[in-house]
Amino acid sequence: MNTQEKLIAFKTILRKEIRRFIRIWPQTLLPSAITMSLYFVIFGSLIGSRIGEMGGFSYMEFVVPGLIMMAIVTNSYSNVVSSFFGAKFNHSVEELLVSPTPNYVILLGFVSGGVIRGLLVATIVTTVSMFFTRLHIHSFGVVVAGVVLTSLLFALAGFINAVYANSFDDISIIPTFVLTPLIYLGGVFYSLDLLPSFWAGVSKLNPLVYVVNAFRYGVLGVADVSVAFAFAMLGGFTVAAFAYSMYLLNSGTRLRQ
Amino acid sequence: MPESTAGSTPALRIENLEKSYDNGFQALKGISLEVAPGDFFALLGPNGAGKSTTIGIICSLVSKSAGKVAVHGVDIDADFPAAKKFIGIVPQEFNFNMFEKVFDIVTNQAGFYGLPRALASERAEKYLRELGLWEKRDVTGRMLSGGMKRRLMIARALVHDPKLLILDEPTAGVDIEMRRGMWEFLQKLNANGTTIILTTHYLEEAEALCRNIAIINHGSIVENTSIKDLLRRLQREVFIVDSADPLPEQLTIESFEFRRADERTLEIEVEKGQHLNDVFTALDRAGVNVVSLRNRANRLEEMFVNLLETDA
């Protein structure tokens, strides 16, 4: 395939992915808006007003970046895991496997779909948050880089999960038992300074801590960890996830007999 | 020997192809075959013989353990994407997203082959019309009948104009009228130069459509020749004779073995070397007033069973 043909193949996969999540928007776009509104009302307005400041900001200002990141992580992940596993389950993935579309184009197509859903949900959640607080952007570049890298990383993670999954249970186990606890313990609702030093140290093994803090730095200008280190971790994990996804596609693991 | 057709580079060349699964099962034991460009080729074999494995390797859904496959001279190990462009595949199982619209299923497939959107739409319309699905273009795949789903997979396989079309049991579960329509469509396609490889359980289908045939059993090719040659080797044929009057109680037909099917019908065996004229003469002498005579389907089926029994 020449570059033009590869671009057409990429656009075809991406268009298909976007149409899929737009078609079922009550399942893909609406829940995040409702859930985050509830978080803003309960944790931000009701409970948050009694907590006072955290990290030098009102509790509402403090949690908003973490909640936006939480929406990006879950949506990027779930878009790719459900779409690619669905294609595997109904065998329509064979349409791609028999075609001359290179594996990296297939991967980029699915992952870009996840990234776009993540960014769209981030926009929705950010808009909702503006009804509850004023958002100041400390560093626009850090915000954009953080959002794109995070959605890319978790879209790739969703792809890996989908490749290994054999049933619909398998695509909900990781989000429920791994992703959600890591998000909740990743400093979305609290600063690591509140933890005893041992648990603060343990928390730094959680990759979500770097995701949340990199974004929080971009918005508020404060973070519990070094922003440079957080981006290095994010970048490293993304490269590793991409390389592993390519390995899975090239070797045909769980896709070819 | 298979009947040759014009062209020097085979549409498909398979050399010593082997496939062993992780559990140790050897699905293919070094098969070799060649399909000439423009051929209509049948790949037959009982369930589990290795037909679908062979097709899976050709179109990259199954990884081979050893051997070589070349499509129109392009080795799949050297340049699989280039080889894939030559191939259109219609699998045995429905493998499209049932929630997508018919038109989208076909145009998306064109996109995966790098066809621009306008050309993809044009081709989708052409093949959906030819296969009688144009009226269903805005319907989701799950709303189609079984026969329509099969035709949709044919339209999808053709949208990039492949030189080699591989169909894995395309008429399974399709009613007779629709099957005949599909045959006509495939014959037209073949007449226009598309090489077709067909696996089928309907041996009548192979006999009606194909020029050459390979029979696989237990992962090995047990026969690879022309259909004509295969049929020529039949030792005997069974003809069904309908009589105008009830058959005589005491019936003797000189030189022929026969069986009464009912009171007006006979099944008569004609050995290689015997002639139909002799049949009519013997029947006349026996007092049978012949109304019609036809050969019993399916001659190829008998040969197929014989070959498999020999191989076993």
Side-chain angles (χ1 to χ4, degrees):
Chain A
M1 281 183 121
N2 59 35
T3 309
Q4 182 64 23
E5 289 170 332
K6 286 175 191 167
L7 194 62
I8 290 170
F10 170 75
K11 284 188 336 200
T12 305
I13 301 169
L14 185 58
R15 188 188 308 114
K16 206 175 152 183
E17 285 301 289
I18 293 172
R19 284 169 85 165
R20 189 193 74 88
F21 74 70
I22 296 286
R23 188 177 67 233
I24 51 171
W25 64 271
Q27 293 172 47
T28 53
L29 303 178
L30 192 60
S32 290
I34 292 172
T35 311
M36 290 305 151
S37 298
L38 290 171
Y39 276 126
F40 291 140
V41 170
I42 295 165
F43 290 104
S45 296
L46 300 178
I47 298 174
S49 60
R50 291 164 189 255
I51 292 174
E53 284 195 351
M54 190 161 300
F57 294 88
S58 73
Y59 190 64
M60 178 63 98
E61 285 174 314
F62 182 84
V63 293
V64 163
L67 289 174
I68 293 171
M69 214 36 131
M70 188 166 143
I72 292 170
V73 166
T74 51
N75 280 279
S76 303
Y77 190 95
S78 60
N79 195 72
V80 182
V81 76
S82 57
S83 176
F84 196 76
F85 177 71
K88 243 179 73 174
F89 187 77
N90 62 30
H91 298 284
S92 64
V93 72
E94 291 173 6
E95 293 176 335
L96 278 161
L97 298 180
V98 302
S99 79
T101 305
N103 287 336
Y104 74 87
V105 174
I106 296 175
L107 182 61
L108 286 177
F110 275 93
V111 166
S112 300
V115 169
I116 288 175
R117 176 167 151 194
L119 298 183
L120 194 56
V121 169
T123 308
I124 293 169
V125 172
T126 305
T127 308
V128 171
S129 75
M130 286 173 172
F131 290 100
F132 297 90
T133 186
R134 287 182 65 195
L135 271 180
H136 305 278
I137 303 295
H138 174 73
S139 168
F140 194 72
V142 171
V143 166
V144 171
V147 165
V148 172
L149 263 182
T150 302
S151 52
L152 194 56
L153 171 60
F154 285 93
L156 286 163
F159 180 84
I160 294 167
N161 187 176
V163 169
Y164 280 106
N166 286 322
S167 67
F168 282 99
D169 286 341
D170 294 342
I171 64 169
S172 65
I173 284 172
I174 301 288
T176 307
F177 296 106
V178 180
L179 211 50
T180 306
L182 287 180
I183 291 171
Y184 278 78
L185 297 171
V188 171
F189 297 104
Y190 56 83
S191 164
L192 296 190
D193 293 343
L194 296 181
L195 299 175
S197 59
F198 173 76
W199 289 111
V202 170
S203 290
K204 286 181 182 171
L205 297 175
N206 178 357
L208 267 299
V209 165
Y210 302 96
V211 167
V212 171
N213 277 280
F215 189 64
R216 184 172 285 141
Y217 178 83
V219 177
L220 302 177
V222 295
D224 291 331
V225 295
S226 151
V227 175
F229 185 66
F231 271 100
M233 292 286 280
L234 256 176
F237 277 125
T238 305
V239 170
F242 185 83
Y244 192 63
S245 300
M246 282 306 299
Y247 161 74
L248 291 175
L249 274 171
N250 290 336
S251 63
T253 306
R254 308 273 177 116
L255 295 171
R256 291 185 168 93
Q257 292 173 29
Chain B
M1 283 293 288
E3 240 178 58
S4 66
T5 44
S8 52
T9 308
L12 177 70
R13 184 200 291 271
I14 293 175
E15 286 175 66
N16 304 316
L17 190 62
E18 289 179 26
K19 173 65 188 177
S20 299
Y21 288 98
D22 292 341
N23 61 8
F25 175 68
Q26 200 176 4
L28 295 177
K29 298 169 184 168
I31 66 164
S32 298
L33 63 89
E34 218 172 87
V35 178
D39 200 356
F40 207 135
F41 192 93
L43 195 56
L44 299 189
N47 287 333
K51 304 184 299 288
S52 294
T53 302
T54 307
I55 288 174
I57 291 171
I58 297 165
C59 67
S60 93
L61 294 176
V62 178
S63 312
K64 63 187 169 67
S65 305
K68 287 206 164 292
V69 177
V71 184
H72 280 281
V74 180
D75 189 325
I76 63 168
D77 293 324
D79 191 353
F80 214 156
K84 284 174 173 180
K85 280 191 173 183
F86 290 125
I87 306 170
I89 174 84
V90 181
Q92 206 175 117
E93 307 290 339
F94 301 129
N95 69 343
F96 51 84
N97 186 340
M98 296 284 172
F99 297 97
E100 272 179 23
K101 289 179 182 170
V102 165
F103 190 76
D104 292 341
I105 289 168
V106 181
T107 50
N108 283 341
Q109 189 69 13
F112 302 151
Y113 283 81
L115 265 65
R117 195 77 183 155
L119 180 60
S121 300
E122 194 183 298
R123 294 255 184 95
E125 180 174 349
K126 176 188 167 193
Y127 287 113
L128 287 175
R129 279 190 192 282
E130 285 185 20
L131 285 152
L133 290 170
W134 181 242
E135 301 305 316
K136 300 282 182 186
R137 62 190 179 279
D138 291 325
V139 165
T140 55
R142 71 196 165 119
M143 303 303 286
L144 300 179
S145 68
M148 286 176 178
K149 284 175 183 156
R150 295 228 168 264
R151 283 183 281 150
L152 170 58
M153 293 203 295
I154 295 176
R156 185 186 62 178
L158 290 171
V159 75
H160 63 285
D161 275 355
K163 288 171 115 178
L164 172 64
L165 180 66
I166 302 172
L167 304 109
D168 197 358
E169 309 215 13
T171 54
V174 172
D175 66 48
I176 293 169
E177 193 187 342
M178 203 171 276
R179 192 186 307 165
R180 298 275 169 184
M182 235 186 245
W183 287 7
E184 275 175 32
F185 177 80
L186 294 175
Q187 280 170 322
K188 202 172 95 186
L189 204 64
N190 180 244
N192 288 335
T194 307
T195 309
I196 297 179
I197 298 175
L198 179 86
T199 79
T200 178
H201 273 150
Y202 301 109
L203 298 169
E204 177 200 0
E205 190 163 81
E207 193 176 344
L209 295 174
C210 302
R211 277 188 286 280
N212 292 301
I213 187 168
I215 298 177
I216 303 186
N217 196 25
H218 303 308
S220 302
I221 303 268
V222 295
E223 187 61 74
N224 183 10
T225 185
S226 70
I227 297 256
K228 275 185 194 163
D229 180 58
L230 201 61
L231 294 173
R232 210 177 290 133
R233 284 191 263 145
L234 276 171
Q235 293 303 307
R236 65 185 173 89
E237 279 191 66
V238 177
F239 288 89
I240 298 169
V241 176
D242 294 313
S243 167
D245 311 307
L247 297 166
E249 295 256 330
Q250 298 295 320
L251 183 63
T252 309
I253 304 172
E254 280 173 40
S255 312
F256 294 97
E257 286 187 23
F258 67 94
R259 189 181 75 80
R260 285 171 194 267
D262 59 45
E263 65 169 3
R264 288 171 191 260
T265 311
L266 278 176
E267 285 188 2
I268 191 160
E269 289 185 7
V270 180
E271 299 287 333
K272 196 177 178 184
Q274 291 181 311
H275 300 286
L276 281 179
N277 284 347
D278 302 332
V279 177
F280 285 113
T281 309
L283 286 169
D284 191 42
R285 279 194 197 132
V288 178
N289 191 4
V290 178
V291 174
S292 67
L293 179 138
R294 61 192 185 276
N295 70 327
R296 193 178 71 186
N298 183 314
R299 296 181 296 161
L300 195 58
E301 194 162 298
E302 286 179 39
M303 174 62 93
F304 182 65
V305 171
N306 286 342
L307 277 167
L308 298 188
E309 279 171 0
T310 311
D311 183 53

